[in-house]
Amino acid sequence: MANIAKRPNGRWRARYRDDAGKEHARHFDRKIDAQRWLDEVSASQLTGQYVDPRAGRVTFRAYGEQWRQAKPHRPTTAVKAEQHLRVHAYPAFGDMPLARIRRSDVQSWVTGMEKSGMQPSTVRTTFNTIRAAFRAAVEDRVIAASPCQGVSLPDVPRRKVVPLTVDQVRALAEGMPDRYQALVILGAGTGLRPGELFGLQVRHVDFFKRQLRVEQQVQQTKGGGTRVCPPKTKESERVVPLPDVVVHALVGHLKAFPAGPDDFLFQDPAGGPVVATRLMDGAWRPARKSAGLPKVTMHQLRHTYASLLIAAGESVKVVSERLGHTNAAMTLNVYSHLFPDSEGKTRRAIDGAFEPKIIKAADSVRTDDAR
């Protein structure tokens, strides 16, 4: 039920009751403005887009904490989300009611982070966390629209991936402790992400079919613990063919470090799955230094795998599937500079289509000249 009434002071009061029976009212100088407001409310109720005006009074900090704790983030993502909110967003507008935060407030915040010297990629990831929180507030009908819409973000310069060479991979493997040497060969020979490598159990490797299944990954948690969880995306669950060099490395590894079907293929010296920070500090960095390499990460083994497939002439689709990318566009975005230039192929394609007619025309000209 809604109505408009003129007050003794000459202003117009528009009021209505929501689905819960709560009354809401606003005062206007003109009756037409009061009617327009009621019409907008009625339309939002009919289309299911109604937002209780009182809901937006909750502060961004209060809603952000509720959202963060309820969201089923992966452990590493949860840590980053908490940091983005606590360090960057809450100091800027944590105590402001959600409904009072404007696009200009968010834009000023983004611009301020950029001017402070924060890397463009970090600005974007921080913004994405806050945008997700506001999107949830819209879906919860706490606010009608997100103030993140239309915000301009800094451009992220594209850095060309520089894969490790085969000789560099061999040098790294030789510098690693015995229990991790095959891990380096496996990373460069299959393109698995570090967490996927750590999550491999013996049962995931089929030596007869010469392939392995990616079904899980291991992530590090606070305090140096680990957590077994699903792969990064649905496409990350995949079957990867094993080249001979990897098969030989794994056979040698299992002879030196026997393990049962449900045991992790590579284990921490104290037992259980590999702990990433302990591996990096105790094995990877010393091996990198002994190999005389600049600062490189395990993820670059994945780039080596991709570059070798591309050099061998594999299609974008195949490379994407082997890497477990969401789509081929992602693969091209990262590795487009590694694909061979096709200028010659382009010329041959066009010449092949026009050549018969060109030759025929040339022969005709020569015949006419002879006459």
Side-chain angles (χ1 to χ4, degrees):
M1 179 179 178
N3 63 70
I4 300 175
K6 192 171 185 177
R7 305 293 293 164
N9 61 3
R11 302 192 74 200
W12 297 87
R13 182 177 68 179
R15 58 182 180 175
Y16 70 94
R17 291 186 181 276
D18 60 24
D19 294 337
K22 291 183 179 179
E23 183 179 280
H24 303 272
R26 282 185 63 179
H27 294 78
F28 300 87
D29 292 330
R30 301 188 306 168
K31 184 177 181 179
I32 190 173
D33 294 330
Q35 187 61 57
R36 183 180 294 112
W37 179 68
L38 284 180
D39 291 342
E40 291 175 353
V41 170
S42 298
S44 66
Q45 289 176 323
L46 289 172
T47 58
Q49 298 176 337
Y50 174 75
V51 174
D52 186 340
R54 300 175 187 176
R57 296 176 185 174
V58 63
T59 65
F60 178 75
R61 185 192 308 274
Y63 184 82
E65 286 302 289
Q66 175 188 332
W67 168 79
R68 180 180 65 81
Q69 295 173 20
K71 183 75 172 176
H73 285 131
R74 296 178 185 273
T76 52
T77 305
V79 171
K80 290 180 180 178
E82 189 276 335
Q83 183 181 34
H84 293 163
L85 291 165
R86 173 176 50 83
V87 177
H88 301 292
Y90 291 160
F93 36 75
D95 296 327
M96 295 175 63
L98 280 172
R100 304 189 89 179
I101 300 174
R102 301 289 181 259
R103 188 203 63 81
S104 57
D105 297 321
V106 179
Q107 183 66 72
S108 296
W109 171 69
V110 168
T111 303
M113 287 192 293
E114 184 180 9
K115 288 183 176 179
S116 70
M118 184 182 290
Q119 293 295 320
S121 58
T122 306
V123 172
R124 282 178 172 265
T125 55
T126 304
F127 170 80
N128 287 339
T129 297
I130 278 60
R131 179 172 58 181
F134 277 115
R135 185 186 298 121
V138 173
E139 294 173 353
D140 284 343
R141 306 287 175 79
V142 177
I143 53 178
S146 170
C148 293
Q149 293 179 352
V151 171
S152 299
L153 300 174
D155 293 328
V156 178
R158 181 178 295 182
R159 296 179 180 176
K160 290 186 177 181
V161 167
V162 180
L164 296 173
T165 66
V166 172
D167 287 340
Q168 289 174 329
V169 171
R170 285 174 176 157
L172 272 172
E174 291 172 359
M176 295 284 278
D178 291 345
R179 67 172 50 248
Y180 295 135
Q181 288 185 356
L183 177 67
V184 176
I185 302 301
L186 179 63
T190 61
L192 269 62
R193 301 175 178 91
E196 295 171 346
L197 291 170
F198 303 155
L200 281 177
Q201 293 174 298
V202 176
R203 63 185 175 86
H204 293 137
V205 182
D206 190 327
F207 288 96
F208 293 101
K209 293 183 179 180
R210 296 170 63 219
Q211 58 186 210
L212 63 78
R213 303 186 312 277
V214 179
E215 297 180 348
Q216 62 188 32
Q217 65 171 322
V218 167
Q219 291 188 339
Q220 185 168 335
T221 59
K222 288 183 178 180
T226 56
R227 170 177 177 263
V228 179
C229 56
K232 184 177 181 180
T233 64
K234 181 181 178 181
E235 291 75 17
S236 298
E237 297 183 16
R238 61 199 188 278
V239 175
V240 181
L242 292 177
D244 287 342
V245 63
V246 173
V247 172
H248 294 158
L250 293 182
V251 169
H253 173 76
L254 288 174
K255 284 182 179 179
F257 303 93
D262 293 327
D263 292 332
F264 288 99
L265 195 56
F266 299 96
Q267 301 180 29
D268 186 86
V274 172
V275 179
T277 53
R278 199 144 53 222
L279 170 70
M280 297 303 292
D281 293 339
W284 180 268
R285 290 191 181 91
R288 174 182 62 77
K289 291 179 180 178
S290 67
L293 296 176
K295 186 177 180 180
V296 295
T297 66
M298 282 195 67
H299 198 83
Q300 286 178 260
L301 297 175
R302 182 170 164 85
H303 298 329
T304 297
Y305 176 74
S307 68
L308 293 175
L309 293 187
I310 293 169
E314 288 284 21
S315 68
V316 177
K317 183 176 182 296
V318 170
V319 176
S320 179
E321 290 175 351
R322 298 285 185 264
L323 294 173
H325 280 168
T326 304
N327 51 54
M330 179 183 296
T331 308
L332 281 173
N333 186 50
V334 178
Y335 300 110
S336 60
H337 64 288
L338 297 180
F339 283 88
D341 189 279
S342 60
E343 286 186 6
K345 188 180 293 185
T346 300
R347 295 188 185 99
R348 288 192 297 272
I350 303 303
D351 286 340
F354 281 89
E355 192 174 39
K357 293 182 179 180
I358 293 174
I359 293 175
K360 185 177 181 180
D363 289 342
S364 176
V365 171
R366 284 194 292 269
T367 302
D368 291 340
D369 289 342
R371 292 175 182 174

